[in-house]
Amino acid sequence: MGGEYAADKPVLLFLHGVGTGDPKGAWKAALSKSLARVGYPGLESASVIAPRYAGALKFDEEDLPLPPLTTKQPTGDAAKQNRRDFERRMAAIEFRLGTHDPGPGMVGADALMDVALGIPFFVQARHYLQEPNIRAHVLTRILRKLPESGRIVIVGHSLGSVIAADLVRRLPASIEVAGMVTIGSPLASDVFGVDKLRETLSEPPGHLGWWVSFWDGNDLVAARRGVSSAFPWMMDLRVHTKSLGPMAAHEAVEYLSHDVVAEAVGFALYGSLSKELAVAERGVDVPIDTAENFALLGLRYAHLIASRLKGDQRDRYVGALRHVQATLAGVLMAQRKRTGRPVPAVVARLALDLSDPRAAAPEPQPARHLSKHDAVVPLTVLLAENVIAPYEIEVNPEVKREAMKDLTAEMGLSGTFGVDVFSAAASAQSALGGGSSFNWLKWGALGAGAVAIVLATGGLALAAGAGLAGAAAITSALAAFGPGGMIGGLLTAGTLVTAGGGGIALGLASPATSADAVEAVLAGQLTVEIVRKRHGLSSDPAVWRNLIEMEMELRREHERLDEFSDRAAASIKELKRKLVAVERALAFLDAAGLAPRSDARDAEDIAPTREGKASGNFVEGLVDRARRMRVGGEK
């Protein structure tokens, strides 16, 4: 081991392919020029190691043992943690460079490689694969050029990529590989699986930061594919070089002249080009809008959940939250920019550089104060939503309950308010036939149900939901963010928790809306009413009227289909289930004293049985009441 290297300079190890090893350094000039073009310092700012081993690949020198394997695969929890850490770094690289593309491969590629190794041009590759003594001399020559310790970056071209993979498992423990870039690699071919290479690298080595392999569709050596078929934990990217033929496409100079290859090497050598995020400069003290309020509440709730998790689950949750927050902050700031509005400081401080795997997600500030009246709907929706979607991690309900308690306490509503939201949700689900145990999967259908109803009505359902934040604000936010994702999902579900009338009735009756979704939306509405009653808040009389309208729309749809459909038809069963859900919701509200009592007949006709199910008189009363409402008998 050994050369002298400046401590303040990054170290680049370049491993050449077959041939003379590019004695004129054309690869170096091409890469340095590309680095400057994409904004990085050139190679004059790095210590470059480019050992030439062409002679060693041709001649069998004195016997020399292979350098020992130094990487030990971790086991158990350590293996899981190592893989997760590596995948986090790879996710950052993919975010920076582009989407993984393993390529379609070339028909007969392995057979082609077998034939190619018999051609004199590839004799060096054949020697490396088949002569252990030659391999030993090549690897030893490279290891002697490396520093005693520190971080290095490896770039391997063609056969050099095979040598790089072979070398990385033999490095001393004191050397860390910041990143490995392979170009024009044949490693996907079984022919190049030298010395159980795939078995010993079945998991990423702990000292390897990340690995990206670039391939060109015209490169016959790469055979129209990357190398992730052999090493599934790394990433492949396709590039389109400016070469005109298959041999030119394989040249190192062609690959290293490509911007995305330079970006990968530059990031490994010099780090991120992103500027430091300065909240004071990027945000100002301006009010947040409805969408931002929902997003901040959701992120704060997610951070409070994460703080109560432990071990492997916490690590995965924090990793998922990091991606969700970075994406969400970018979306919110981009929307502000599109509309010509300044970015609020509380939004700007959420941003992080996702391409830096070490960047932690800044914790949102404690939730701002909301009145109980304004808070009940957002908190009900948060309870039902997966705030780290699209990632799915099952969290103990008790952890969520305690996190909600913390959230409402810091909002100035007291921790008991959060506990009440949870217990009200359980009561609402039980009233709809959910039993004594709280079914979180069914409750979690609220977001999906809300989106389904919006899609089924072409957005008509939202027109009735102005109670949340105003129809104009909701319409504007959903136009920007759509009904899906965290912001759109929270807004849509929150709107429908307070919505009703013809829009939501049409959505509920639509075959596109499942009974699970209907039950979840109704459970959300009941939860809000229960919390309002417990805390002495005014009930929303529109909830009762809307349920009546829903029941009538569902019954009309049922009668239309029931005339010709089979009795056991799935659509009929779904409609009946929806009808029962609405009837149970009405019965529950009446029993809780939340139904309007306009006359004595209503009180007699609309009464639940002891089991909480709709009786014959109850259903008849609903139909009669609905009929009178439709002709304007009641307001």
Side-chain angles (χ1 to χ4, degrees):
M1 302 287 292
E4 296 293 331
Y5 303 99
D8 61 340
K9 285 189 174 184
V11 177
L12 172 68
L13 170 65
F14 177 75
L15 301 176
H16 66 79
V18 298
T20 60
D22 191 5
K24 296 183 178 180
W27 73 267
K28 186 176 179 180
L31 178 56
S32 196
K33 184 178 180 180
S34 299
L35 286 170
R37 188 169 58 248
V38 298
Y40 281 106
L43 291 183
E44 64 277 1
S45 299
S47 295
V48 178
I49 305 171
R52 294 171 60 190
Y53 37 80
L57 286 168
K58 293 179 180 179
F59 305 105
D60 192 2
E61 303 180 28
E62 72 275 10
D63 289 346
L64 192 67
L66 277 167
L69 297 176
T70 57
T71 58
K72 294 183 179 180
Q73 295 292 351
T75 59
D77 290 340
K80 293 179 181 178
Q81 186 62 50
N82 176 64
R83 184 62 175 265
R84 186 171 304 115
D85 290 343
F86 186 85
E87 288 177 347
R88 177 179 176 178
R89 296 191 295 269
M90 287 307 307
I93 291 299
E94 185 169 7
F95 179 83
R96 172 175 290 275
L97 300 180
T99 304
H100 170 65
D101 185 353
M106 182 184 297
V107 177
D110 287 347
L112 179 64
M113 282 298 171
D114 276 331
V115 174
L117 287 176
I119 299 174
F121 181 79
F122 292 107
V123 66
Q124 293 171 315
R126 184 171 70 250
H127 284 169
Y128 188 85
L129 297 174
Q130 299 175 1
E131 301 292 339
N133 194 48
I134 287 180
R135 281 179 58 225
H137 277 275
V138 171
L139 291 169
T140 300
R141 182 174 298 190
I142 296 169
L143 286 169
R144 287 173 178 170
K145 295 283 187 179
L146 297 180
E148 296 287 344
S149 61
R151 288 165 59 89
I152 65 172
V153 176
I154 300 177
V155 176
H157 170 243
S158 191
L159 177 61
S161 71
V162 181
I163 298 172
D166 200 2
L167 177 75
V168 79
R169 56 185 182 157
R170 303 176 192 276
L171 293 172
S174 56
I175 289 184
E176 177 186 355
V177 181
M180 186 159 78
V181 175
T182 50
I183 51 179
S185 176
L187 274 167
S189 174
D190 291 337
V191 178
F192 288 87
V194 61
D195 194 14
K196 298 182 178 180
L197 186 62
R198 297 186 183 187
E199 289 84 349
T200 54
L201 290 180
S202 59
E203 290 290 327
H207 63 285
L208 175 61
W210 47 265
W211 178 8
V212 178
S213 192
F214 295 94
W215 61 277
D216 185 291
N218 293 323
D219 184 349
L220 292 180
V221 175
R224 297 182 60 81
R225 61 187 176 183
V227 302
S228 58
S229 59
F231 309 98
W233 41 267
M234 52 77 64
M235 187 177 83
D236 294 314
L237 282 175
R238 180 176 184 174
V239 295
H240 300 275
T241 64
K242 298 178 180 179
S243 58
L244 299 178
M247 294 309 297
H250 183 63
E251 293 294 329
V253 169
E254 293 294 333
Y255 278 102
L256 296 175
S257 296
H258 201 285
D259 285 358
V260 71
V261 178
E263 286 179 15
V265 177
F267 178 64
L269 286 172
Y270 304 114
S272 176
L273 285 173
S274 300
K275 297 179 180 179
E276 293 296 325
L277 300 174
V279 175
E281 295 177 3
R282 297 190 60 188
V284 294
D285 190 13
V286 295
I288 59 176
D289 60 27
T290 303
E292 292 160 347
N293 182 47
F294 261 105
L296 288 167
L297 272 178
L299 287 176
R300 183 61 182 169
Y301 183 44
H303 276 271
L304 291 172
I305 290 173
S307 70
R308 292 184 170 274
L309 300 177
K310 296 180 180 179
D312 172 75
Q313 188 182 47
R314 175 185 171 84
D315 292 341
R316 290 187 293 115
Y317 196 95
V318 169
L321 177 56
R322 179 176 175 274
H323 279 262
V324 169
Q325 181 167 322
T327 303
L328 194 58
V331 168
L332 290 173
M333 289 191 289
Q335 175 62 10
R336 282 273 177 169
K337 184 177 180 180
R338 279 194 297 270
T339 54
R341 297 177 297 158
V343 177
V346 291
V347 172
R349 73 180 306 275
L350 299 176
L352 68 147
D353 181 7
L354 196 57
S355 69
D356 181 356
R358 293 167 293 184
E363 188 168 332
Q365 293 178 346
R368 67 189 184 94
H369 173 71
L370 290 176
S371 68
K372 289 183 177 181
H373 182 272
D374 292 334
V376 61
V377 170
L379 294 176
T380 298
V381 174
L382 281 181
L383 177 66
E385 283 293 301
N386 173 18
V387 290
I388 58 166
Y391 306 98
E392 297 184 9
I393 300 175
E394 186 175 350
V395 176
N396 188 310
E398 184 62 23
V399 171
K400 288 187 172 183
R401 192 178 78 91
E402 291 301 310
M404 180 66 75
K405 183 178 177 180
D406 293 340
L407 182 66
T408 55
E410 68 183 27
M411 292 171 69
L413 302 176
S414 82
T416 57
F417 191 80
V419 174
D420 283 345
V421 173
F422 262 69
S423 64
S427 297
Q429 183 171 296
S430 178
L432 295 174
S436 57
S437 61
F438 194 25
N439 187 337
W440 284 96
L441 291 177
K442 182 180 289 187
W443 176 251
L446 174 58
V451 173
I453 292 169
V454 170
L455 294 177
T457 64
L460 179 61
L462 297 180
L468 179 65
I474 295 297
T475 302
S476 174
L478 285 172
F481 303 111
M486 181 198 240
I487 300 175
L490 291 173
L491 283 169
T492 307
T495 301
L496 294 183
V497 162
T498 58
I504 195 171
L506 288 172
L508 286 164
S510 168
T513 309
S514 70
D516 276 346
V518 170
E519 290 172 353
V521 173
L522 295 182
Q525 293 183 336
L526 292 186
T527 298
V528 171
E529 288 301 293
I530 294 168
V531 174
R532 284 172 174 163
K533 180 177 177 63
R534 289 180 181 177
H535 287 266
L537 304 174
S538 298
S539 174
D540 183 1
V543 173
W544 177 270
R545 294 196 301 270
N546 294 338
L547 286 171
I548 293 291
E549 185 74 11
M550 292 178 206
E551 192 273 345
M552 187 173 65
E553 291 290 342
L554 288 166
R555 188 165 297 282
R556 180 186 293 113
E557 181 70 5
H558 178 270
E559 291 178 356
R560 183 180 71 84
L561 297 179
D562 186 54
E563 182 177 2
F564 301 110
S565 299
D566 292 338
R567 290 184 179 276
S571 59
I572 297 297
K573 290 181 179 180
E574 280 284 289
L575 273 170
K576 286 181 178 179
R577 188 174 157 196
K578 294 176 185 179
L579 273 167
V580 169
V582 173
E583 291 166 357
R584 286 175 173 167
L586 284 161
F588 179 84
L589 290 175
D590 184 67
L594 295 172
R597 303 276 180 166
S598 58
D599 54 55
R601 179 182 177 185
D602 292 337
E604 293 175 358
D605 286 343
I606 304 176
T609 64
R610 289 183 180 180
E611 292 77 19
K613 297 183 179 179
S615 65
N617 287 340
F618 171 62
V619 175
E620 291 172 5
L622 287 177
V623 176
D624 182 64
R625 185 178 181 86
R627 186 178 295 114
R628 285 184 282 119
M629 289 183 67
R630 290 288 287 179
V631 298
E634 295 181 10
K635 302 292 183 184

